[in-house]
Amino acid sequence: MATASDEPDRDRDAIDTVRAFNRAVTTRVGALQDHYLGSDRSLGASRVLWEAGDDGLDVRAIRERLGLDSGYLSRLLRSLEREGLVAVEGSPADSRVRTIRTTPRGRAERAELGRRSDDLARSVLAPLGAGQRARLVEAMATVTRLLDAGLVEVEPADAASHEARACLAAYYAELARRFPGGFEPGRSLHPDTHEFQEPTGGFVLARLHGRAIGCGAVLFHDGRPAYIKRMWVDDAVRGMGVGRRILAALEQAARDHGAASVTLETNASLIEAIAMYRSSGYVEVEPFNDEVYADHWFEKRL
């Protein structure tokens, strides 16, 4: 019997191109060498030192940002501590919280790492003509953005959590800037975040490198369409498909609760959101509520 592995790989050319790109980049930047940029440490240790910054950072944040295994990160931190470049401090209030801080020697080494990294970047660009440099820089920016898009995670979350509240505050602030008459959450429907939790609703957060960059909520109504609310995406990641992934996660939550359709409303000022809803299969319908900030009402069959 033929298996999936026996079938022709439709993406073979694309896969070969990605692998060739990976080989070219790792070779060009010296990622395979034990002594990265002429230092006495590997690329992994150098990157941890760089991410620690001059003001210190939570070890968990570094692990999430770099996608490192806990054991491997611990080994890298121990090697940096032996060199006298960092100190790892525990929190008196919570033994699970540890902070990595660079020492004076570590800050000096980090500055030198920055200079050598600049030199490496210049060496990549120097042999190229002006047009080639421009194309390479543009291509690198595109690759970085697309790779980040693939790392975004959309997961259920507590609407009352610190991350959720921060996202909602950013959402409300944006609406206040964009709506002609401003925005007051208390005047909008469903200002109480407790509604966006089981069994009455759901809430999701989108994260990139451990940081919350978007959110969305849905309310469940027995025998009636589910109702999507509070969708927001950080400006820094717009155009990466994060909004569509949040919308898809909310639609799936509605399906899981037996909803046959979903509804939402939006303001005429949110042109990008309106375009996304229409291209995602939403059709405009007559107003189904008295949301004071709404100009358009939409529904989608699931």
Side-chain angles (χ1 to χ4, degrees):
M1 175 182 293
T3 65
S5 60
D6 298 324
E7 298 176 0
D9 193 334
R10 300 176 186 175
D11 297 326
R12 187 70 259 166
D13 290 343
I15 290 171
D16 288 343
T17 299
V18 170
R19 292 182 60 182
F21 174 82
N22 292 343
R23 292 193 297 272
V25 170
T26 53
T27 300
R28 187 64 182 86
V29 304
L32 305 179
Q33 300 178 18
D34 289 336
H35 303 285
Y36 181 64
L37 295 180
S39 70
D40 292 330
R41 67 195 62 86
S42 66
L43 171 58
S46 296
R47 183 65 188 277
V48 170
L49 178 62
W50 181 260
E51 293 296 339
D54 290 338
D55 299 323
L57 191 65
D58 190 315
V59 171
R60 290 178 299 185
I62 293 180
R63 184 174 67 246
E64 291 173 349
R65 187 176 298 176
L66 300 181
L68 295 178
D69 172 81
S70 297
Y72 180 51
L73 177 58
S74 294
R75 292 193 294 274
L76 293 177
L77 290 175
R78 285 197 296 270
S79 70
L80 292 172
E81 284 186 294
R82 285 195 297 270
E83 291 186 70
L85 302 179
V86 304
V88 180
E89 305 169 353
S91 169
D94 189 342
S95 60
R96 297 170 299 178
V97 176
R98 296 187 302 155
T99 301
I100 172 176
R101 299 190 186 280
T102 49
T103 64
R105 180 181 173 187
R107 289 191 288 275
E109 186 68 18
R110 187 173 179 275
E112 178 61 24
L113 177 62
R115 286 190 289 270
R116 294 186 184 186
S117 296
D118 284 348
D119 290 341
L120 175 60
R122 291 189 185 96
S123 74
V124 171
L125 298 172
L128 306 177
Q132 291 175 312
R133 287 198 298 271
R135 292 202 306 274
L136 178 60
V137 169
E138 182 180 2
M140 285 179 165
T142 299
V143 168
T144 299
R145 193 166 176 80
L146 292 175
L147 289 176
D148 277 347
L151 294 175
V152 173
E153 297 180 345
V154 179
E155 299 174 329
D158 181 355
S161 67
H162 173 73
E163 287 181 308
R165 291 197 304 270
C167 285
L168 289 172
Y171 169 68
Y172 297 149
E174 179 179 349
L175 297 189
R177 293 192 306 269
R178 297 186 64 173
F179 288 4
F183 179 80
E184 297 178 25
R187 296 187 61 205
S188 178
L189 295 178
H190 305 288
D192 187 354
T193 59
H194 293 297
E195 294 180 276
F196 302 131
Q197 300 192 53
E198 294 285 356
T200 57
F203 193 88
V204 299
L205 283 174
R207 293 188 180 88
L208 176 61
H209 303 309
R211 184 175 72 88
I213 55 167
C215 67
V218 59
L219 291 173
F220 309 126
H221 303 295
D222 292 340
R224 290 188 292 141
Y227 176 43
I228 289 175
K229 199 77 172 166
R230 307 298 184 228
M231 277 194 54
W232 172 80
V233 175
D234 193 311
D235 278 340
V237 296
R238 291 192 181 167
M240 291 169 54
V242 177
R244 290 183 185 277
R245 291 187 58 186
I246 292 173
L247 186 60
L250 296 174
E251 291 173 354
Q252 186 58 53
R255 287 190 191 91
D256 293 343
H257 281 76
S261 63
V262 288
T263 59
L264 56 84
E265 82 280 311
T266 192
N267 186 277
S269 302
L270 305 180
I271 300 172
E272 308 92 334
I274 292 172
M276 180 184 70
Y277 298 142
R278 285 176 171 156
S279 65
S280 298
Y282 286 77
V283 295
E284 197 151 0
V285 295
E286 291 297 317
F288 51 78
N289 61 23
D290 57 356
E291 171 60 68
V292 297
Y293 294 107
D295 298 307
H296 299 273
W297 288 258
F298 290 92
E299 184 171 1
K300 177 181 178 179
R301 298 288 300 176
L302 296 177

